[in-house]
Amino acid sequence: MNGKLEFIDILREKEKKYNRQHDFNAFEFTYKAEITTIHKLTQMENLYRVRIIDPEQGKQFSFQPGQFVMLELPGIGEAPFSISSSPLRHGDIELCIRKAGNLTNFLSRVERGTRVGLRGPFGTGFPMEKMEGQNILLIAGGLGLAPLRSAIAYVQANRSRFNTVDIIYGTKDPSQLLFAYQYDVWRADDITLSIIVEEPDTAWKGPAGLITKILEDLFRKKDKTFFKNTYAIVCGPPVMFKFVCTMLSQKDIPMQKMFVSLERRMHCGMGKCCRCNVGSTYTCLKGPVFDYWTVMNLKEAI
Amino acid sequence: MIFKVIKKEELKHLFDVLAAENRVVGPVEAGRDSNGRPIYAFDQVSDFNNICLDYTTTKISAKRYFLPYQEDLAGFRIDGKDWHKKINYNIESPYIFFGLHACDINALNKLDKVLLGSVYPMPYYAAKRKNMFIIGLDCIPQPYCFCRSMGADTALHGFDMFLTDMGGQYFAEILSDTAFNFLKNIKTAEPAYADRMRYIKIIAEKKRKFTVRVDTTDLANILDMEFQSDVWKQWGEKCLACGTCSQVCPTCYCYGVEETVNINFHEAKKTKMLYSCNLIDFAQVAGGHNFRLKRDARLKYRYYHKHRGFVEAYEESLCVGCGRCGEACLAEITVPAVISSVRGEES
Ligand SMILES: Cc1cc2nc3c(=O)[nH]c(=O)nc-3n(C[C@H](O)[C@H](O)[C@H](O)COP(=O)(O)OP(=O)(O)OC[C@H]3O[C@@H](n4cnc5c(N)ncnc54)[C@H](O)[C@@H]3O)c2cc1C
Ligand code: SF4
Ligand code: SF4
Ligand code: FES
């Protein structure tokens, strides 16, 4: 008899079919992608267009608005970013990234052509198909417009399937407005766009104040049937979506028809590192997109 | 299941057969505390005489063998704007665990649920877990053990064989084919009626030796209800936010990831480090906001994850009641005390 244990190579046990959620090799699998263009949007934010290099892999990479990717720059770091582009474009995405620390500052200095790693897409998305046939309120504060822009692109591509569409967007001051070059196109697609800034400069002609102010104006113009047939997506800091969702709730929009995106620290995106937990819910698996009813029932969510 | 009895002197033979060709990890005496009592640790052993089969609880769980405190997830070769990623699961040959108590085996079973059984199974853990041969060993309940309250005082699966000390011989439960074959190297016997009765008696006696218990009745709900309870603030004031509890715990698996680049800029690596939810920046995000700035929020979260979140997901708690965290905590924060205070019990 002998007493030697046989070494089991889990790589050999892998499934034939590529299954992202169950294959061991999927865990650390990184799509290699190239930054094809970099647009400077504001002092703090750049828009990166990132394309998966292998065309076959690129086709596989499909996502829903609201989902995120983990972007990796070898040796610098890896962090979660919401996909900010149209879900119709597979494997060729746009990320709107604010300088906030190591990785994001480094990214702001790289040149186009730089190769990055992408993992994902991860998390839940906005249920766009469920919203068809209804009015939609798309409400964004600050960088919240980044994930919302993917939903906007979906609406544009399927404009005939939605009733009225309103974008309400607020930032601190006019210099922080993101995607200004797209506003005319959105409006041309029969999307109402209202913008408000908290601290206007001398050139600013629009309204000034908090986003709730625009909402009040808008609500005055709408009747009961509007609210009955409306879905809302609210992206922004927790204080902002709390106020906004409370207002929407007062208009009798059910909390299950409002969607928000939560931001938490994330080190894996796959329900393993626990850094993203809210109470005991994994934001990376059950979120980042939650309906507001669920958020209200999560401990320590807001 | 197959049962055998093994004479004590035969166990050494089994050890020698296994240690000849494999890496064996077992409980050893690592030193003495200020009262002269032994401090036990899991370590690699090559001499049977160094294994302390009568050990109480190791200070630190065996997790560095399946969840290393620090491990590289991937390495990179960087070449200008391009790079190449190489993944390594960090294990080349199996480990034999010689003498794990039931709580530590149950800890592995719990980790299996989240790290192997749910979506995105973790290959770094899987590779090590699938290359383990585990010999379980019965124990004597210590004053801090509450595994019985957590349903973790007996291991039903997750090991290859389990030994219960019956004086001159061991009663062995054999779970795996591998264990069955290894036992062909030594002399074993079928348990006689008297052996079986003695085993039943020993098990029953052990149950009576538990001194602490935790009332887990409806605990998940109670934690939800008492989320705002003042007792958390009191514990928060005591807690030093040192993270020791997570480091010694056999079921704490939370981590952080960091990337570093070599001085020559041609090589980089992605490293995983076990973390603790009691450390200040656990839930801090970009822009500086910290979702759990206060110590009580973080301490509460640890209990929440173990005794509520995990229960919701897997219908069992993520605590095996080994008592290590309470023993290691300088602030003397123990699971039984915290839970009983949340339940509003007099202490
Ligand atoms: C689902 C999701 C979607 C996001 N989408 C966008 C987006 O579209 N655009 C955008 O600009 N930002 C987005 N973020 C935030 C982005 O992940 C952080 O800005 C980024 O992690 C900062 O990394 P860094 O290396 O530059 O900062 P670091 O130098 O690592 O740290 C700076 C600060 O960020 C915190 N931090 C570190 N790592 C993480 C992490 N993994 N997750 C969150 N915070 C962290 C630290 O606590 C520290 O306070 C999103 C976050 C989440 C969770
Ligand atoms: S509970 Fe004890 S061991 Fe854990 S962080 Fe607080 S002081 Fe440290
Ligand atoms: S929480 Fe404490 S008692 Fe429970 S398994 Fe972890 S170390 Fe043991
Ligand atoms: S990001 Fe790691 S568990 Fe959610």
Side-chain angles (χ1 to χ4, degrees):
Chain A
M1 247 355 271
N2 86 57
K4 186 161 169 62
L5 269 181
E6 192 195 334
F7 181 68
I8 298 167
D9 185 357
I10 61 166
L11 284 175
R12 268 191 275 134
E13 289 194 338
K14 82 173 183 196
E15 298 162 50
K16 287 269 180 307
K17 200 169 124 266
Y18 181 72
N19 186 328
R20 220 167 57 81
Q21 291 204 355
H22 300 285
D23 188 338
F24 284 134
N25 295 308
F27 193 86
E28 206 35 61
F29 174 79
T30 315
Y31 291 106
K32 191 181 278 189
E34 184 167 316
I35 298 180
T36 51
T37 54
I38 303 172
H39 284 197
K40 188 172 159 80
L41 294 179
T42 71
Q43 278 301 332
M44 295 301 289
E45 287 98 4
N46 282 340
L47 184 70
Y48 300 84
R49 185 155 175 179
V50 183
R51 191 177 66 220
I52 293 174
I53 291 168
D54 181 320
E56 278 309 307
Q57 287 182 352
K59 265 185 240 154
Q60 265 178 27
F61 186 98
S62 66
F63 66 94
Q64 292 165 11
Q67 286 191 293
F68 67 94
V69 289
M70 295 294 276
L71 179 128
E72 177 170 39
L73 214 62
I76 307 298
E78 186 182 42
F81 299 100
S82 302
I83 304 174
S84 190
S85 51
S86 167
L88 293 179
R89 239 172 40 210
H90 292 190
D92 180 11
I93 60 174
E94 284 166 3
L95 304 171
C96 170
I97 297 177
R98 170 178 293 176
K99 285 186 260 180
N102 268 345
L103 173 69
T104 47
N105 277 313
F106 194 94
L107 269 174
S108 74
R109 292 191 300 267
V110 303
E111 294 167 7
R112 52 172 188 254
T114 299
R115 295 188 168 187
V116 296
L118 282 186
R119 291 193 296 119
F122 293 118
T124 52
F126 306 115
M128 301 309 295
E129 280 166 21
K130 250 208 232 161
M131 301 181 187
E132 288 179 4
Q134 298 255 316
N135 307 307
I136 320 192
L137 292 173
L138 301 165
I139 306 166
L143 194 54
L145 193 62
L148 206 66
R149 182 167 170 261
S150 180
I152 297 171
Y154 182 97
V155 169
Q156 285 178 288
N158 300 281
R159 186 64 190 88
S160 56
R161 298 194 203 154
F162 297 93
N163 215 334
T164 69
V165 180
D166 288 85
I167 300 174
I168 298 110
Y169 175 40
T171 59
K172 192 118 204 138
D173 63 63
S175 75
Q176 294 178 356
L177 290 171
L178 298 168
F179 306 113
Y181 58 94
Q182 292 199 289
Y183 300 165
D184 287 341
V185 185
W186 292 344
R187 288 187 173 116
D189 278 331
D190 192 23
I191 295 170
T192 313
L193 174 64
S194 328
I195 299 173
I196 189 162
V197 297
E198 255 175 79
E199 294 161 9
D201 55 16
T202 45
W204 181 250
K205 295 194 192 68
L210 292 175
I211 207 158
T212 42
K213 189 171 152 190
I214 299 211
L215 278 176
E216 278 160 11
D217 293 346
L218 183 85
F219 287 177
R220 249 177 262 125
K221 289 180 222 149
K222 308 283 188 186
D223 58 10
K224 263 208 158 78
T225 48
F226 172 84
F227 294 108
K228 231 190 192 129
N229 299 299
T230 294
Y231 271 93
I233 299 177
V234 189
C235 293
V239 264
M240 172 255 175
F241 69 65
K242 189 175 161 187
F243 274 111
V244 169
C245 290
T246 310
M247 278 182 76
L248 298 174
S249 193
Q250 280 159 359
K251 288 289 168 191
D252 289 336
I253 298 183
M255 288 191 228
Q256 284 181 336
K257 288 175 80 176
M258 305 171 196
F259 293 88
V260 302
S261 178
L262 297 191
E263 188 182 329
R264 284 296 183 278
R265 188 152 181 159
M266 294 186 178
H267 283 237
C268 73
M270 298 177 289
K272 297 292 174 277
C273 72
C274 300
R275 301 302 283 271
C276 68
N277 275 210
V278 180
S280 44
T281 300
Y282 291 95
T283 308
C284 64
L285 297 177
K286 295 280 165 69
V289 173
F290 290 97
D291 69 54
Y292 194 59
W293 172 253
T294 306
V295 171
M296 291 282 289
N297 284 289
L298 290 177
K299 292 282 187 280
E300 54 176 34
I302 321 174
Chain B
M1 184 137 42
I2 291 175
F3 302 98
K4 296 271 186 207
V5 283
I6 304 174
K7 288 237 165 58
K8 279 218 166 147
E9 56 271 23
E10 284 297 316
L11 198 62
K12 181 182 178 325
H13 292 154
L14 180 64
F15 178 90
D16 290 341
V17 170
L18 298 179
E21 301 208 65
N22 307 285
R23 300 187 289 182
V24 181
V25 170
V28 299
E29 190 181 310
R32 297 255 160 181
D33 68 11
S34 51
N35 299 314
R37 279 189 298 257
I39 296 170
Y40 295 111
F42 289 109
D43 208 346
Q44 216 163 306
V45 264
S46 48
D47 182 352
F48 183 69
N49 295 320
N50 290 340
I51 294 198
C52 305
L53 291 176
D54 59 349
Y55 77 113
T56 51
T57 309
T58 56
K59 285 274 176 229
I60 300 174
S61 77
K63 79 176 161 190
R64 70 178 155 121
Y65 294 100
F66 42 89
L67 287 175
Y69 288 97
Q70 184 168 330
E71 92 175 299
D72 291 342
L73 300 180
F76 300 92
R77 218 182 48 240
I78 302 174
D79 198 4
K81 286 180 180 172
D82 201 5
W83 44 266
H84 177 75
K85 184 173 187 174
K86 192 167 180 300
I87 295 165
N88 185 353
Y89 297 151
N90 310 314
I91 180 159
E92 306 82 38
S93 64
Y95 271 117
I96 288 181
F97 286 83
F98 209 98
L100 281 193
H101 288 164
C103 57
D104 285 343
I105 294 172
N106 282 315
L108 281 163
N109 291 340
K110 287 177 193 291
L111 288 175
D112 287 351
K113 298 219 157 136
V114 50
L115 301 180
L116 295 182
S118 68
V119 289
Y120 304 110
M122 196 170 199
Y124 302 90
Y125 175 78
K128 297 172 190 84
R129 180 69 169 119
K130 292 202 178 206
N131 283 295
M132 265 182 202
F133 177 86
I134 296 175
I135 302 175
L137 188 66
D138 74 322
C139 53
I140 297 162
Q142 299 301 306
Y144 45 81
C145 295
F146 58 99
C147 53
R148 184 149 169 73
S149 303
M150 305 315 296
D153 55 328
T154 28
L156 299 174
H157 60 98
F159 56 86
D160 293 273
M161 80 191 209
F162 200 97
L163 303 174
T164 301
D165 191 334
M166 299 208 298
Q169 56 186 9
Y170 288 104
F171 189 87
E173 302 163 52
I174 295 140
L175 210 58
S176 77
D177 184 27
T178 319
F180 184 79
N181 282 318
F182 281 165
L183 284 176
K184 287 178 184 161
N185 289 294
I186 62 164
K187 273 191 236 129
T188 59
E190 295 300 316
Y193 179 74
D195 295 326
R196 300 196 308 265
M197 288 307 116
R198 184 151 163 64
Y199 170 75
I200 292 171
K201 203 166 146 239
I202 285 171
I203 294 298
E205 270 167 19
K206 176 185 162 184
K207 307 253 133 90
R208 283 196 291 275
K209 289 187 186 141
F210 285 99
T211 49
V212 256
R213 59 184 283 278
V214 170
D215 187 357
T216 58
T217 323
D218 213 16
L219 185 57
N221 265 335
I222 291 169
L223 284 172
D224 200 21
M225 253 159 34
E226 296 306 318
F227 193 78
Q228 307 293 355
S229 167
D230 281 342
V231 302
W232 293 118
K233 284 203 192 67
Q234 292 161 24
W235 291 115
E237 267 160 34
K238 292 184 95 183
C239 175
L240 307 165
C242 63
T244 303
C245 42
S246 312
Q247 299 301 300
V248 300
C249 177
T251 60
C252 275
Y253 60 90
C254 304
Y255 64 88
V257 174
E258 214 178 80
E259 300 208 4
T260 45
V261 62
N262 198 316
I263 192 92
N264 64 18
F265 286 102
H266 287 306
E267 280 152 50
K269 60 187 183 183
K270 183 176 189 180
T271 311
K272 164 184 180 244
M273 271 155 298
L274 290 193
Y275 217 66
S276 168
C277 49
N278 275 320
L279 299 179
I280 185 150
D281 62 344
F282 187 83
Q284 185 177 318
V285 295
H289 184 68
N290 192 332
F291 286 96
R292 293 188 209 101
L293 185 60
K294 295 215 174 119
R295 277 172 298 168
D296 61 287
R298 299 197 295 277
L299 181 107
K300 175 162 68 179
Y301 166 75
R302 184 159 181 272
Y303 281 82
Y304 225 72
H305 183 196
K306 288 200 181 285
H307 298 277
R308 180 177 158 80
F310 206 79
V311 181
E312 282 179 325
Y314 304 105
E315 293 179 11
E316 57 181 74
S317 152
L318 183 63
C319 168
V320 293
C322 67
R324 284 187 179 101
C325 56
E327 283 296 286
C329 177
L330 290 173
E332 300 182 341
I333 299 174
T334 71
V335 178
V338 171
I339 290 185
S340 102
S341 74
V342 176
R343 298 187 77 97
E345 288 164 2
E346 304 280 320
S347 54

